[in-house]
Amino acid sequence: MNKIRALWNAGKPAIIGWINIPSILAAEALAGCGYDGLLVDLQHGAAEMANVAPLLLAIEHGGAEPLARVAANNPADIMRLLDFGAYGIIAPMINTAADAQTFADALHYPPRGLRSFGPRRPQMRFGPDYLAAASDSIVSLAMIETRDGLDNLEAILAVQGYDGIFIGPSDLALALGRSPRPDNTDPILLAAIDNIIARCKAAGKHVGIYCSSPAYAHRMVAAGCDIVSITPDLVMLTNAARESVAATRAG
Ligand code: 3PY
Ligand code: MG
């Protein structure tokens, strides 16, 4: 079973890492650091479809659940990522119930959805039973991060066939006329986040959010999130590099 779904079934939150730098060595090393899942970001990270398969393999080999954020809610890309061995998909900018339905349809084989059959890597993990295991092996989160997404949240939540919502606080801040800052504590943004979390709970959907610091992630888990991302790779690398240079200069 998907490690993240197993945590959810046990009532526990999942902690995921965020990969912007498409390095196989770094992905494998990070995957062994205790994350429940590691996400390759094809929207704002440097990975491309052409180099995503070995990254997903390195993550799985390292012991974390391989996840991907698609550049857009495009069924062809979602299906290819699932065939390459992504066991979780986050789709950005879900604005309408029709967007959510497109997303859900791409995740499941008929009759439940419209996914085309060609599970090259999942068949290596699940063998001939993959068809039966497919839907449960994947976790799926639709991003709410726009004004339209907020306005249409009830209708988006009413769509079946995907697990929940992932909040994009930077785009959501922009949608609310606020600044896109990491770990943003702007009261208007926090109120919108609380409102989304409450509505997801009421609709029986999972909910998560993009965080930077462990402290912000703790706060969001306490607020009801059951999946949080923490410090992206590029931020960890540059923070550590700055500290190292500063400590050396300070003597
Ligand atoms: C956002 O904060 O808008 C995101 O999409 C997180 O990467
Ligand atoms: Mg965003």
XYZ file of all heavy atoms in Angstrom, residues 53 75-87 106-110 114-128 130-131 134 138:
309
model
N 11.750 9.895 -14.790
C 11.664 8.467 -14.459
C 12.805 8.016 -13.535
O 12.554 7.394 -12.499
C 11.592 7.613 -15.722
N -4.095 15.590 -18.365
C -4.250 14.141 -18.192
C -3.112 13.335 -18.810
O -2.666 12.333 -18.229
C -5.574 13.828 -18.897
C -6.330 15.109 -18.876
C -5.296 16.206 -18.946
N -2.603 13.746 -19.972
C -1.534 12.971 -20.628
C -0.293 12.948 -19.736
O 0.347 11.900 -19.567
C -1.208 13.581 -21.995
N 0.058 14.088 -19.146
C 1.231 14.144 -18.258
C 0.991 13.332 -16.988
O 1.888 12.634 -16.510
C 1.551 15.595 -17.882
C 2.165 16.359 -19.048
O 2.577 15.716 -20.030
O 2.218 17.608 -18.978
N -0.216 13.449 -16.434
C -0.530 12.698 -15.201
C -0.398 11.194 -15.466
O 0.249 10.465 -14.712
C -1.944 13.062 -14.697
C -1.962 14.519 -14.220
C -2.395 12.110 -13.584
C -3.343 15.083 -13.948
N -0.967 10.736 -16.584
C -0.925 9.302 -16.894
C 0.511 8.824 -17.130
O 0.897 7.734 -16.716
C -1.810 9.010 -18.109
C -3.294 9.190 -17.822
S -4.281 8.737 -19.277
C -5.707 9.797 -19.068
N 1.331 9.657 -17.809
C 2.729 9.270 -18.035
C 3.486 9.180 -16.716
O 4.273 8.264 -16.495
C 3.432 10.283 -18.940
C 2.977 10.236 -20.371
C 3.973 10.912 -21.281
N 5.058 10.005 -21.638
C 6.235 10.401 -22.117
N 6.475 11.683 -22.287
N 7.148 9.527 -22.434
N 3.252 10.150 -15.825
C 3.943 10.121 -14.532
C 3.551 8.881 -13.736
O 4.392 8.264 -13.083
C 3.640 11.400 -13.736
C 4.395 12.619 -14.262
C 3.808 13.902 -13.697
C 5.879 12.519 -13.919
N 2.279 8.521 -13.799
C 1.842 7.289 -13.114
C 2.532 6.073 -13.747
O 2.969 5.160 -13.044
C 0.318 7.158 -13.178
C -0.476 8.221 -12.405
C -1.979 8.065 -12.669
C -0.197 8.156 -10.910
N 2.647 6.064 -15.067
C 3.325 4.941 -15.745
C 4.819 4.892 -15.414
O 5.427 3.823 -15.384
C 3.137 5.037 -17.267
C 1.705 4.743 -17.692
O 0.926 4.233 -16.860
O 1.356 5.044 -18.850
N 5.417 6.075 -15.168
C 6.850 6.142 -14.823
C 7.106 5.771 -13.367
O 8.241 5.732 -12.920
C 7.385 7.563 -15.000
C 7.551 8.043 -16.408
C 7.655 9.410 -16.670
C 7.634 7.177 -17.483
C 7.825 9.884 -17.953
C 7.813 7.642 -18.774
C 7.904 9.007 -19.012
N 6.050 5.607 -12.546
C 6.256 5.209 -11.155
C 6.076 6.313 -10.135
O 6.642 6.234 -9.046
N 5.283 7.326 -10.444
C 4.869 8.289 -9.404
C 3.668 7.668 -8.693
O 2.725 7.221 -9.350
C 4.482 9.625 -10.020
N 3.725 7.627 -7.356
C 2.603 7.067 -6.592
C 1.832 8.157 -5.857
O 1.102 7.871 -4.910
C 3.096 5.958 -5.654
C 3.587 4.782 -6.454
C 4.940 4.575 -6.666
C 2.685 3.917 -7.071
C 5.389 3.523 -7.455
C 3.118 2.872 -7.864
C 4.465 2.683 -8.049
O 4.905 1.651 -8.847
N -8.149 11.215 -14.769
C -6.817 10.798 -15.227
C -6.178 9.774 -14.290
O -5.249 9.066 -14.678
C -5.906 12.017 -15.346
N -6.691 9.676 -13.057
C -6.046 8.861 -12.030
C -6.505 7.406 -12.006
O -5.832 6.553 -11.446
C -6.338 9.460 -10.640
C -5.852 10.889 -10.414
C -6.542 11.494 -9.191
C -4.339 10.920 -10.245
N -7.676 7.130 -12.565
C -8.288 5.798 -12.418
C -8.590 5.173 -13.773
O -9.008 5.867 -14.703
C -9.592 5.907 -11.614
C -9.413 6.585 -10.286
N -8.832 5.955 -9.208
C -9.713 7.845 -9.882
C -8.795 6.793 -8.187
N -9.314 7.947 -8.569
N -8.458 3.845 -13.802
C -8.829 3.107 -15.013
C -10.349 3.017 -15.134
O -11.060 3.083 -14.123
C -8.247 1.693 -14.951
C -6.731 1.671 -15.072
C -5.937 1.200 -14.044
C -6.115 2.140 -16.235
C -4.547 1.202 -14.158
C -4.734 2.137 -16.350
C -3.956 1.669 -15.310
O -2.590 1.678 -15.438
N -10.851 2.842 -16.377
C -12.290 2.626 -16.545
C -12.731 1.385 -15.761
O -11.925 0.463 -15.597
C -12.439 2.388 -18.055
C -11.241 3.046 -18.654
C -10.130 2.875 -17.635
N -10.616 7.522 -16.741
C -10.267 7.470 -18.163
C -8.792 7.145 -18.385
O -8.277 7.340 -19.481
C -10.576 8.833 -18.812
C -12.038 9.299 -18.770
C -12.154 10.752 -19.250
C -12.910 8.391 -19.644
N -8.114 6.657 -17.328
C -6.676 6.378 -17.465
C -6.453 5.289 -18.498
O -7.145 4.280 -18.523
C -6.107 5.946 -16.099
C -4.618 5.701 -16.141
C -4.026 5.384 -14.762
N -2.651 4.966 -14.902
C -1.937 4.366 -13.963
N -2.490 4.139 -12.786
N -0.685 4.009 -14.187
N -5.449 5.510 -19.346
C -5.112 4.537 -20.377
C -4.135 3.514 -19.803
O -3.307 3.844 -18.947
C -4.489 5.298 -21.555
O -3.964 4.402 -22.487
N -4.220 2.263 -20.266
C -3.450 1.178 -19.648
C -2.070 1.017 -20.266
O -1.931 0.772 -21.457
C -4.221 -0.139 -19.743
C -3.696 -1.166 -18.777
C -4.025 -1.099 -17.431
C -2.839 -2.164 -19.203
C -3.514 -2.021 -16.515
C -2.320 -3.094 -18.302
C -2.664 -3.018 -16.962
N -1.039 1.154 -19.446
C 0.355 0.952 -19.877
C 1.279 1.204 -18.700
O 2.224 1.983 -18.804
N 1.005 0.547 -17.542
C 1.714 0.866 -16.285
C 3.112 0.253 -16.242
O 3.351 -0.696 -15.494
C 0.802 0.263 -15.216
C 0.180 -0.912 -15.898
C 0.045 -0.546 -17.356
N 4.027 0.817 -17.025
C 5.344 0.189 -17.195
C 6.029 -0.092 -15.861
O 6.434 -1.207 -15.593
C 6.247 1.096 -18.063
C 5.664 1.381 -19.437
C 5.638 0.140 -20.340
N 4.973 0.430 -21.595
C 3.812 -0.111 -21.972
N 3.190 -0.978 -21.206
N 3.258 0.218 -23.121
N 6.206 0.928 -15.023
C 6.918 0.688 -13.757
C 6.004 0.148 -12.653
O 6.423 -0.750 -11.929
C 7.676 1.945 -13.320
C 8.858 2.253 -14.266
C 10.039 2.922 -13.605
N 10.410 2.289 -12.371
C 10.263 2.847 -11.162
N 9.767 4.055 -11.050
N 10.629 2.193 -10.092
N 4.776 0.647 -12.486
C 3.944 0.078 -11.413
C 3.777 -1.433 -11.517
O 3.692 -2.127 -10.504
C 2.600 0.794 -11.588
C 2.953 2.090 -12.234
C 4.131 1.797 -13.118
N 3.797 -1.968 -12.741
C 3.647 -3.424 -12.872
C 4.862 -4.158 -12.279
O 4.746 -5.283 -11.843
C 3.454 -3.820 -14.328
C 2.004 -4.167 -14.580
C 1.705 -4.465 -16.027
O 2.509 -4.193 -16.922
N 0.544 -5.014 -16.274
N 6.019 -3.451 -12.253
C 7.208 -4.081 -11.652
C 7.049 -4.146 -10.136
O 7.548 -5.044 -9.485
C 8.466 -3.306 -12.024
C 8.757 -3.306 -13.505
S 10.197 -2.280 -13.873
C 9.906 -1.935 -15.601
N 6.344 -3.152 -9.556
C 6.155 -3.155 -8.091
C 4.994 -4.069 -7.687
O 5.072 -4.763 -6.689
C 5.908 -1.715 -7.633
C 5.544 -1.545 -6.166
C 5.727 -0.094 -5.712
N 5.009 0.209 -4.493
C 4.991 1.406 -3.913
N 5.663 2.418 -4.443
N 4.321 1.620 -2.806
N 3.928 -4.038 -8.483
C 2.698 -4.731 -8.076
C 2.442 -6.025 -8.837
O 1.539 -6.774 -8.468
C 1.488 -3.800 -8.248
C 1.474 -2.673 -7.256
C 2.048 -1.455 -7.557
C 0.903 -2.848 -6.005
C 2.051 -0.410 -6.637
C 0.898 -1.820 -5.072
C 1.482 -0.600 -5.397
N 3.181 -6.256 -9.911
C 2.979 -7.466 -10.687
C 1.646 -7.459 -11.417
O 1.025 -6.407 -11.594
N 1.166 -8.640 -11.794
C -0.043 -8.720 -12.627
C -1.299 -8.203 -11.922
O -2.316 -7.958 -12.565
C -0.182 -10.215 -12.945
C 0.830 -10.922 -12.118
C 1.784 -9.936 -11.537
N -1.660 -5.345 -10.644
C -1.658 -3.877 -10.568
C -3.023 -3.260 -10.860
O -3.435 -2.308 -10.186
C -0.597 -3.269 -11.500
C -0.650 -1.751 -11.465
C -0.375 -1.059 -10.288
C -1.029 -1.014 -12.589
C -0.461 0.322 -10.224
C -1.110 0.365 -12.529
C -0.824 1.034 -11.345
O -0.922 2.398 -11.288
N -3.728 -3.823 -11.810
C -5.030 -3.226 -12.160
C -5.914 -3.106 -10.914
O -6.535 -2.070 -10.670
C -5.721 -4.060 -13.240
C -7.049 -3.503 -13.758
C -6.878 -2.132 -14.395
C -7.670 -4.456 -14.773
N -4.291 -0.444 -8.467
C -3.897 0.861 -9.001
C -4.477 2.037 -8.213
O -3.735 2.908 -7.743
C -4.287 0.959 -10.469
N -2.189 5.056 -5.370
C -1.903 6.455 -5.728
C -2.552 7.384 -4.710
O -3.699 7.161 -4.318
C -2.530 6.761 -7.103
C -1.937 5.874 -8.189
C -2.398 8.231 -7.465
C -2.828 5.792 -9.416
